[in-house]
Amino acid sequence: MAKELATFAGGCFWCLVKPFDRLEGIEKVVSGYTGGHVENPTYKQVCSGTTGHVEAVQITYDPEMISYEKLVDLYWKLIDPTDSGGQFHDRGESYTTAIFYHNEEQRKIAEESKKRLEDSGKFDKPIVVKILPAKTFYPAEEYHQDFYKKNPIDYERYFIGSGRAHFIKRHWGDIGE
């Protein structure tokens, strides 16, 4: 079976790469930008809030080894799904959350998963993650790729200092991050 794509926006893309990268069945995880109206945007342009893009990761995976549903389930555990203004200390449109579906099956899985999370009562505020059709994905600059591998100390400092690590632990326990 052919490889498939999954695309998730969850604030700083650095923090989404490592958890997905470590799963069996993942071929690659690319940091980048999507959802906006500017072609080939730069990090500086996206952060300016003028492109309509969000930071995201695009995952190439083998659906015979890992299901899209498992990817979505992990995604929920990496973000604050109730924050519409960004993620943790990263604020603004470019750091907002979204699941970008690549086909109708992915849309259905994402919507059902979101409904389950809403119905679970895990959060006392509404789940605000958008579920949108995938648009052109632009890979980020090379220094953003595999940041956790290239800069492990800076990555850990950021992951903890941003508040993400504490939020995940408080809501989900140890997810192996």
Side-chain angles (χ1 to χ4, degrees):
M1 185 179 233
K3 303 287 190 257
E4 292 190 16
L5 296 175
T7 306
F8 303 112
C12 177
F13 43 38
W14 294 345
C15 294
L16 297 182
V17 175
K18 183 178 178 182
F20 287 110
D21 203 28
R22 296 176 355 167
L23 296 175
E24 194 166 330
I26 301 300
E27 185 175 296
K28 66 181 174 178
V29 183
V30 178
S31 297
Y33 317 110
T34 192
H37 57 271
V38 173
E39 288 186 29
N40 299 307
T42 65
Y43 178 71
K44 187 174 181 178
Q45 287 175 311
V46 172
C47 289
S48 76
T50 60
T51 65
H53 288 291
V54 292
E55 287 193 15
V57 292
Q58 189 160 81
I59 301 161
T60 304
Y61 69 101
D62 181 342
E64 291 186 7
M65 294 183 72
I66 188 163
S67 70
Y68 183 72
E69 188 170 6
K70 285 191 185 207
L71 299 177
V72 172
D73 287 346
L74 175 57
Y75 167 75
W76 293 123
K77 294 175 181 169
L78 302 175
I79 63 165
D80 176 352
T82 68
D83 188 345
S84 62
Q87 287 291 286
F88 310 103
H89 85 242
D90 292 315
R91 311 311 302 158
E93 178 185 23
S94 64
Y95 296 110
T96 57
T97 56
I99 296 172
F100 293 93
Y101 60 87
H102 292 267
N103 56 48
E104 191 57 25
E105 181 184 355
Q106 285 187 354
R107 182 195 63 76
K108 183 180 173 201
I109 289 167
E111 288 181 356
E112 289 171 356
S113 181
K114 181 178 177 179
K115 177 88 170 94
R116 278 194 306 278
L117 184 58
E118 288 169 336
D119 292 347
S120 74
K122 185 118 182 119
F123 298 96
D124 57 5
K125 294 188 269 183
I127 305 302
V128 297
V129 175
K130 297 178 200 121
I131 298 174
L132 303 168
K135 293 178 88 174
T136 303
F137 181 87
Y138 299 97
E141 295 82 351
E142 182 56 36
Y143 69 92
H144 287 300
Q145 305 304 329
D146 296 318
F147 188 84
Y148 80 96
K149 291 179 184 174
K150 295 174 185 171
N151 303 285
I153 294 168
D154 290 339
Y155 168 79
E156 277 303 311
R157 187 177 307 127
Y158 179 82
F159 185 72
I160 294 166
S162 69
R164 191 181 294 257
H166 176 72
F167 181 89
I168 291 170
K169 189 156 190 78
R170 189 171 80 236
H171 287 87
W172 301 101
D174 181 11
I175 63 166
E177 171 40 43

